[in-house]
Amino acid sequence: MPMAASGTGKRHAESEALLRRGEAVIAGGVVSLNRKVEPGIAFVRARGSRIWDADGFEYIDYHAAFAPHLLGHNDPEVNGAVVQAMEDGWSLMGSGTTPWEVRLAELLHEAVPSLEKLQLTNSGSEATAHAIRLSRAWTGREDVLLMLGGYNGWHNDVARTVMPSLAEIGPRVSPGEYRFLPLSAGIPEGVRQRLHVVNFNDAASVEDVLRRHPIACVLMEPVLQNVGVMPPRPGYLQEVRRLCTRYGATLVFDEVKTGFRSALGGYQSIAGVAPDLSVFGKAVANGYPLGVIGGRAEIMNLFDAKESARRVLIAGTYNGHPMTVAAAIATLERLGRDDGEIYRTLEARGARLQAGLEALYHEKGWTAVVSRIGSAFCTYFSDHVPVDWHDLAASHDSDLDRRYRRELINAGIYHFPLPAKQGSISAAHTEDDIDRTLEMTREAMSRV
Ligand SMILES: Cc1ncc(COP(=O)(O)O)c(C=O)c1O
């Protein structure tokens, strides 16, 4: 290792040349600027657990493009379903329903019973935007409660700084709330005033905000997976559920990251908590662009309310696109096969990686702990798994994390090179991949 296929001269020469070409015509040089990181590697090919860069280097991939590839890259069965759909004449019809969208809706409803009714979008962000608008229409209220350290997409109502410094956010307040720190310019002040932010795992603050403001919905990831893998404390989700019911707010679970990765029924099936609305994306179509918004029929039926003043708009030229729908049908059928055997495999691989990493950290005398739910994992360079953003910001050694990720990449293990970013195992990661990962991690650690 590293697993160089070619790669003579400067290691990222081809990637850098491509970035320079892109800079002439793409704003920022990279499409979707959260992907602009150091090292700036351009990837050109992927299969299963592996990705290859423009300079010919091969990596075992744990970034998984921010987590959708639960079955691995270019899964032959999913790709086969997409090709078959084209050969069978599936196309974007744009009028009336199609057999494939009905089939997918049935599969989703079967997997996640709280999705009494649902609609399809092209992304997780579109789905969270719909969840907020639906909640506002349903409750007649305008305010939204979000979690510090959560991410729910790029639109005005949710685009807040995911990882603010403690200086920016101020000390922990409970019960209480934090300022909405926009992640983007161009968000109107009037919108910001409708948005409230509290710490995760702090039900007292949820109640405090619900009591003081007209909250339409609590929109939350049931596990914070944009700051590693930060699980809910026992009883926390149940308490938030109870509070939403008591104060008349809609509870929306953003399962874009947890859904289908933690279980076929989403994290809600593990927690045993039924939200009013849920949002899915990413793993549902194993890398093809699909989002889902669904939940209680009486709320979802607002999309088709007879009275026009109550009707909530949902429209999109590409919603229910046949290629992404074919991919999602194939993915869900595969995930449900043999009584969810794939989740047992993912759990076994995850446990092997976790045990191996923890043994390496111990051997080296590093203070580190692996937080993991099935195939989603993150190393916190701390003596405990953090319970909220303040805890993470105060205890995690971000500098060590950066250097560790950098050396892993040099060794041929690809993790997104920012601290506390979730790692994702896929069903294509073999035991041998895990063992090689551990060997290469040992080597990388010796250079950190
Ligand atoms: C929890 C969560 N919600 C929503 C989104 C937005 O999804 P998309 O990028 O498909 O718009 C993301 C994306 O990372 C996410 O992690």
Side-chain angles (χ1 to χ4, degrees):
M1 310 300 155
M3 299 138 71
S6 62
T8 50
K10 206 172 165 213
R11 180 164 172 155
H12 301 305
E14 291 295 325
S15 289
E16 281 166 21
L18 203 54
L19 184 62
R20 274 195 300 278
R21 254 179 70 202
E23 275 166 355
V25 279
I26 299 172
V30 175
V31 164
S32 198
L33 280 163
N34 58 337
R35 299 178 191 160
K36 191 171 179 176
V37 284
E38 275 296 325
I41 304 175
F43 293 102
V44 295
R45 195 160 66 84
R47 180 156 301 274
S49 62
R50 305 302 164 110
I51 51 177
W52 288 266
D53 72 18
D55 291 270
F57 289 95
E58 177 181 328
Y59 305 78
I60 302 179
D61 181 30
Y62 291 97
H63 173 45
F66 292 107
H69 298 290
L70 183 57
L71 300 174
H73 289 275
N74 275 313
D75 179 75
E77 203 173 321
V78 174
N79 282 358
V82 173
V83 170
Q84 190 63 51
M86 289 188 220
E87 284 177 357
D88 288 348
W90 297 17
S91 183
L92 184 64
M93 305 301 190
S95 181
T97 192
T98 63
W100 45 91
E101 70 187 28
V102 175
R103 171 75 184 134
L104 176 57
E106 287 168 348
L107 280 171
L108 287 162
H109 170 76
E110 214 173 286
V112 187
S114 77
L115 298 179
E116 293 172 2
K117 292 271 180 81
L118 60 94
Q119 276 279 342
L120 304 178
T121 65
N122 303 297
S123 68
S125 295
E126 288 168 67
T128 56
H130 284 302
I132 291 174
R133 195 197 261 163
L134 263 183
S135 299
R136 285 176 168 153
W138 175 249
T139 60
R141 304 172 182 175
E142 293 197 351
D143 290 26
V144 174
L145 177 54
L146 304 163
M147 295 295 155
L148 186 57
Y151 179 72
N152 310 100
W154 52 260
H155 53 87
N156 284 356
D157 281 314
V158 294
R160 65 205 178 278
T161 306
V162 180
M163 296 186 171
S165 68
L166 289 180
E168 279 173 295
I169 204 73
R172 182 184 276 106
V173 283
S174 180
E177 59 173 298
Y178 303 95
R179 270 187 314 132
F180 179 92
L181 293 173
L183 189 55
S184 170
I187 301 178
E189 183 53 38
V191 173
R192 291 194 222 170
Q193 283 170 5
R194 304 271 68 86
L195 306 168
H196 306 269
V197 180
V198 298
N199 249 330
F200 191 64
N201 272 325
D202 178 8
S205 290
V206 172
E207 178 155 27
D208 177 64
V209 173
L210 284 171
R211 203 186 287 127
R212 290 188 294 111
H213 300 282
I215 299 293
C217 67
V218 175
L219 170 61
M220 62 185 294
E221 296 167 79
V223 181
L224 290 193
Q225 286 191 195
N226 282 279
V227 287
V229 177
M230 197 187 284
R233 282 181 167 136
Y236 167 67
L237 296 176
Q238 284 77 359
E239 182 62 5
V240 176
R241 170 68 282 180
R242 190 187 69 74
L243 290 169
C244 285
T245 305
R246 170 155 179 223
Y247 289 90
T250 302
L251 175 60
V252 185
F253 275 176
D254 179 344
E255 295 234 38
V256 168
K257 269 203 149 172
T258 51
F260 305 107
R261 181 165 282 282
S262 46
L264 187 56
Y267 192 78
Q268 57 194 268
S269 68
I270 296 174
V273 174
D276 299 299
L277 295 173
S278 322
V279 168
F280 294 84
K282 302 213 189 232
V284 65
N286 200 54
Y288 286 81
L290 188 111
V292 180
I293 158 80
R296 278 167 55 196
E298 53 190 343
I299 305 179
M300 290 298 295
N301 284 341
L302 287 178
F303 281 135
D304 192 33
K306 298 292 163 269
E307 207 186 316
S308 65
R310 302 243 320 139
R311 195 177 311 138
V312 175
L313 174 67
I314 187 160
T317 302
Y318 296 112
N319 291 6
H321 191 283
M323 300 312 138
T324 57
V325 169
I329 292 172
T331 303
L332 292 181
E333 285 178 342
R334 174 85 165 281
L335 294 176
R337 199 173 296 154
D338 301 327
D339 200 24
E341 175 59 28
I342 222 162
Y343 290 100
R344 289 189 282 284
T345 306
L346 286 166
E347 172 58 31
R349 300 278 191 275
R352 191 180 185 93
L353 183 62
Q354 176 172 9
L357 288 175
E358 286 178 342
L360 286 177
Y361 303 143
H362 182 74
E363 184 184 301
K364 180 100 177 161
W366 285 13
T367 304
V369 54
V370 177
S371 177
R372 182 179 67 82
I373 296 178
S375 58
F377 68 99
C378 180
T379 297
Y380 291 110
F381 293 103
S382 163
D383 60 3
H384 64 282
V385 174
V387 295
D388 60 25
W389 173 248
H390 282 79
D391 190 7
L392 194 160
S395 64
H396 179 60
D397 187 340
S398 294
D399 180 52
L400 175 58
D401 195 356
R402 264 179 220 282
R403 286 184 285 127
Y404 172 71
R405 285 169 189 258
R406 182 82 184 211
E407 288 304 339
L408 286 177
I409 291 170
N410 287 339
I413 308 283
Y414 196 77
H415 278 275
F416 200 61
L418 286 187
K421 280 295 169 197
Q422 177 200 313
S424 300
I425 300 168
S426 78
H429 285 74
T430 61
E431 271 188 12
D432 188 47
D433 285 335
I434 301 294
D435 294 344
R436 293 180 74 169
T437 299
L438 292 169
E439 273 168 43
M440 289 148 83
T441 302
R442 178 194 294 271
E443 182 200 308
M445 284 172 69
S446 69
R447 288 197 305 268
V448 171

